Amino acid sequence: MPTLSRRHAFLGFTAAGAAFAMRRGFAQAPASGPFTLPPLPYPPDANEPHIDTQTMQIHHDKHHAAYVANLNAAVKDYPQVAAMSLTVMLARLGELPEAIRTAVRNNAGGHANHSMFWQLMGGKGGAPSGDLAAAIDRDFGSLDTMKMTFNRTGLGQFGSGWAMVGVDRSGKLTMLNRPNQDTPLMDGGRLLFANDVWEHAYYLKYQNRRADYLAAWWNVVNWQEVAKRYDAARAGTLDV
Ligand code: MN3
């Protein structure tokens, strides 16, 4: 099979695999797939009054659920892709079959981003402590400067996307932004935390006032959870 690249051969997208996928297309569609919607780790009113209950419910139960359903639909006929973890799938986007690459990018990205996002909230804001606080001071100057830069990043993201802080194995923090449901996981990176600046994340309560939403979000951040992510990043065990 001289025309197949090594990467395609590695992932098993051979003629036999394509034929298998086509046969599956005629079979009964499964009711679900390998990916599932994680439950919110707190009641939907836990972030009131800063993030309202209805926004939490629609955001989690409808928007995140749709990313999961669309991802399962995209990988349905591609068992080699369906078997991958989210982080592997996103890091290898360029190797995936072209027919599903965009769907996986949008929906695996959306599933990863939101799975992380719920974990970051449900807290009482305030300030981090210990190694995480020291890293924020070292890499951004101070917590207040970091928040200001993060809010400006979120405000400056044109259209839909995310304001993000990335973290590497050494614990170095980096201010980032990504459009749509893109994530540094697509470049093999890891996220410490991020805030969703799609209008669906804030429009019911804040309408066009994205700056107010960004400012209020800090009141529900769970810094204990962020600190766990920081420790996991340095241990090399941080996933989505
Ligand atoms: Mn969202």
Side-chain angles (χ1 to χ4, degrees), residues 59 114 196 200:
H59 199 174
H114 289 84
D196 189 343
H200 67 223

Side-chain angles (χ1 to χ4, degrees), residues 20-216:
F20 174 69
M22 283 181 69
R23 281 200 304 277
R24 273 181 57 117
F26 293 102
Q28 184 76 33
S32 59
F35 297 99
T36 55
L37 179 67
L40 281 178
Y42 37 71
D45 63 356
N47 297 305
E48 289 273 8
H50 308 288
I51 311 292
D52 62 285
T53 302
Q54 191 183 13
T55 293
M56 288 299 299
Q57 288 170 326
I58 295 172
H59 199 174
H60 175 269
D61 302 354
K62 305 296 183 188
H63 288 279
H64 189 175
Y67 296 124
V68 174
N70 291 338
L71 177 59
N72 282 328
V75 303
K76 184 167 67 74
D77 294 329
Y78 298 87
Q80 302 97 330
V81 183
M84 292 178 178
S85 69
L86 273 181
T87 40
V88 169
M89 189 181 292
L90 288 165
R92 294 186 177 177
L93 267 184
E95 303 170 36
L96 302 188
E98 199 169 354
I100 61 167
R101 200 176 298 154
T102 299
V104 170
R105 178 181 193 143
N106 291 337
N107 295 293
H111 184 25
N113 282 335
H114 289 84
S115 296
M116 167 198 63
F117 186 55
W118 311 130
Q119 302 294 327
L120 303 171
M121 298 189 287
K124 296 279 178 248
S129 58
D131 289 350
L132 175 56
I136 288 171
D137 288 346
R138 180 194 64 212
D139 293 335
F140 299 116
S142 69
L143 179 64
D144 284 346
T145 304
M146 189 271 285
K147 285 182 175 181
M148 201 167 55
T149 309
F150 187 89
N151 291 355
R152 200 186 306 132
T153 299
L155 201 55
Q157 171 59 45
F158 182 77
S160 297
W162 293 76
M164 299 169 149
V165 171
V167 59
D168 71 12
R169 272 298 293 270
S170 74
K172 168 118 181 84
L173 307 180
T174 315
M175 193 66 62
L176 303 167
N177 65 309
R178 290 289 186 277
N180 304 314
Q181 295 299 350
D182 284 0
T183 153
L185 296 174
M186 294 167 179
D187 311 312
R190 289 293 181 273
L191 281 171
L192 181 64
F193 66 88
N195 193 0
D196 189 343
V197 298
W198 284 58
E199 285 186 343
H200 67 223
Y202 62 86
Y203 205 85
L204 289 178
K205 184 176 176 73
Y206 295 96
Q207 293 85 46
N208 61 315
R209 303 186 308 278
R210 187 189 284 188
D212 292 352
Y213 159 71
L214 283 161

Side-chain angles (χ1 to χ4, degrees), residues 208-229:
N208 61 315
R209 303 186 308 278
R210 187 189 284 188
D212 292 352
Y213 159 71
L214 283 161
W217 183 75
W218 296 109
N219 294 310
V220 301
V221 168
N222 181 341
W223 283 113
Q224 288 74 31
E225 191 61 34
V226 178
K228 279 188 213 163
R229 295 179 65 81

